[in-house]
Amino acid sequence: KELKVQLVHSNVLSIIDYCNSVYGSLTEANLRKLQKIQNNAVRFIFSLTGMKKRQSITPYLKELHFLPVRFRIKFKIALLVFKCVNNIAPKYLIELLTVRNVKRQSLRLDNDFYFLKVPDAPHYRQTEGAFSYIGPKTWNALPYSLCCLTNLDEFKGALKTHYFTLAFS
């Protein structure tokens, strides 16, 4: 089983994850296609054939600690934004994001500091996946406890736990 997991990681998930932050505006149909690829990889790992092929794949995804494709995409986008906010990312990416202006009268001053300004909705569906648009939307949807972390490894662990909880609860 461990060998199969390594094969899936190196040959399937690496391809799904390669540049998956540009998948932010994929249609549901295309997301389902990518999810089917991941599901079939999990079926391969657990040798689910015949009657077992119709079983729900969710418990197997949980056992392997694989996030569903939709959450893998959000994870990658949130991770890129974290790197931008903490000046770890390349300058050209950092310049795409701006912190939202904080009004002094705001009652939620602490939380507002971590919100990013989301640009106006794009006129074309294809541009909804632009990092300058999808990045702040994804970041602003995260809980405050995640946004205020500064250590990359802590953030990765907490973010995966957050998305894992959302995906499987």
Side-chain angles (χ1 to χ4, degrees):
K1 179 179 161 187
E2 289 179 28
L3 179 61
K4 286 183 175 182
V5 171
Q6 286 179 345
L7 280 169
V8 166
H9 267 291
S10 64
N11 295 320
V12 178
L13 296 181
S14 63
I15 293 170
I16 290 175
D17 288 344
Y18 177 72
C19 292
N20 69 356
S21 58
V22 299
Y23 297 159
S25 66
L26 278 184
T27 62
E28 282 299 314
N30 287 330
L31 275 174
R32 276 194 302 273
K33 289 177 185 177
L34 285 174
Q35 189 61 52
K36 280 182 184 180
I37 293 169
Q38 186 184 39
N39 291 352
N40 286 329
V42 171
R43 285 189 180 93
F44 166 74
I45 291 170
F46 288 100
S47 301
L48 298 176
T49 57
M51 292 298 285
K52 291 181 180 177
K53 193 173 181 181
R54 297 285 177 216
Q55 280 182 303
S56 172
I57 207 74
T58 305
Y60 300 104
L61 283 170
K62 279 175 87 168
E63 184 179 330
L64 293 169
H65 289 274
F66 285 1
L67 285 172
V69 172
R70 165 182 280 105
F71 291 101
R72 293 177 86 84
I73 293 167
K74 287 182 180 184
F75 178 87
K76 181 65 83 95
I77 292 169
L79 189 59
L80 275 174
V81 173
F82 173 85
K83 288 178 178 181
C84 290
V85 168
N86 290 286
N87 291 320
I88 305 171
K91 188 175 181 182
Y92 70 91
L93 283 177
I94 294 171
E95 291 172 351
L96 294 174
L97 305 176
T98 55
V99 176
R100 193 170 76 182
N101 289 337
V102 179
K103 297 177 184 166
R104 294 191 185 268
Q105 300 86 10
S106 175
L107 297 175
R108 296 176 35 208
L109 189 58
D110 291 342
N111 293 8
D112 283 349
F113 177 74
Y114 292 103
F115 279 139
L116 297 175
K117 183 178 184 228
V118 179
D120 295 332
H123 297 291
Y124 302 105
R125 167 94 174 91
Q126 292 83 358
T127 56
E128 287 178 3
F131 181 70
S132 59
Y133 181 74
I134 198 77
K137 275 183 68 172
T138 303
W139 181 258
N140 292 344
L142 294 176
Y144 173 75
S145 59
L146 276 174
C147 294
C148 63
L149 291 174
T150 55
N151 182 290
L152 181 62
D153 292 328
E154 287 177 22
F155 180 77
K156 280 182 184 178
L159 184 63
K160 183 160 184 186
T161 301
H162 171 69
Y163 282 137
F164 198 80
T165 305
L166 285 177
F168 299 115
S169 63

